[in-house]
Amino acid sequence: MENWKDIKGYEGLYQISDKGVVKGVDRVLAYNAQKTKQWKGKVIKTIVDYLGYCRVSLCKDGKVKCHKIHRLVAEAFLNGEGQINHKDGNKLNNNLNNLEFCTVKENLAHAYTTGLRPKNICAQLFVMKHKNYSLAKWMLLVKFTCHLLWFLHI
């Protein structure tokens, strides 16, 4: 059975389950001074972004904002802060039992030990170059990876 909780910042509008499903909440909308409309909540469609994470667009006060599903699940059901690690390495598995809060260093160490990220900088750059990344993104990745390697003393 799925457990549902309100999404922080969207209380009374949207809920998220411990399985990573987002739905709108049933509510009455006032669209005129004397008229209202019954709105039936439904499951919100998710998309997969260019990094492989599931995202959902949520609307509040006429403003739309995109959120990563794994962050919404962790913030609703887990206590902690920082980065969120997918224990099995599958970015599409947003089940509560697959998520944990961790530090940047712990997340990167997990990625290296599970083989999600090659330790060899040349292998990482080769993979990214052949995934049709733009030159600007590729150069940013090179800079970030060099800083990261210095930080981790690899």
Side-chain angles (χ1 to χ4, degrees), residues 7 9 11 17 21 25 32 35 44 49-50 57-58 84 92 94-95 98 101 114-115 118 130 141 144 149-150 152 154:
I7 296 175
E11 292 85 357
S17 77
V21 178
V25 177
N32 202 340
K35 294 185 180 182
I44 309 296
D49 66 10
Y50 72 99
S57 296
L58 303 178
I84 300 160
L92 301 177
N94 295 306
N95 233 313
N98 185 48
F101 277 103
T114 57
H130 289 85
L141 178 71
F144 172 75
L149 291 174
W150 175 84
L152 295 174
I154 295 175

Side-chain angles (χ1 to χ4, degrees), residues 58-144:
L58 303 178
C59 182
K60 181 179 177 183
D61 299 328
K63 295 179 183 173
V64 178
K65 191 170 178 186
C66 209
H67 298 273
K68 291 180 181 174
I69 299 289
H70 68 277
R71 177 146 301 272
L72 295 175
V73 172
E75 288 175 351
F77 292 95
L78 298 175
N79 292 324
E81 56 183 37
Q83 290 194 348
I84 300 160
N85 182 36
H86 290 82
K87 294 176 187 176
D88 68 355
N90 180 359
K91 297 176 185 178
L92 301 177
N93 182 0
N94 295 306
N95 233 313
L96 177 61
N97 59 12
N98 185 48
L99 302 175
E100 65 183 354
F101 277 103
C102 63
T103 64
V104 174
K105 197 169 185 174
E106 291 169 338
N107 206 9
L108 287 168
H110 177 260
Y112 288 132
T113 56
T114 57
L116 296 171
R117 173 172 268 181
K119 269 194 171 184
N120 183 339
I121 181 78
C122 295
Q124 177 71 26
L125 295 177
F126 178 82
V127 168
M128 290 311 203
K129 183 179 177 188
H130 289 85
K131 281 189 174 180
N132 294 325
Y133 276 72
S134 69
L135 181 60
K137 283 183 185 174
W138 192 72
M139 293 301 288
L140 239 144
L141 178 71
V142 171
K143 185 177 178 183
F144 172 75

Side-chain angles (χ1 to χ4, degrees), residues 5-16 23-29 39-41 59-60:
K5 285 194 176 182
D6 282 337
I7 296 175
K8 292 178 185 171
Y10 295 91
E11 292 85 357
L13 298 173
Y14 299 99
Q15 290 183 330
I16 187 140
K23 71 175 181 179
V25 177
D26 295 343
R27 58 186 180 268
V28 177
L29 301 173
W39 192 80
K40 176 83 172 137
C59 182
K60 181 179 177 183

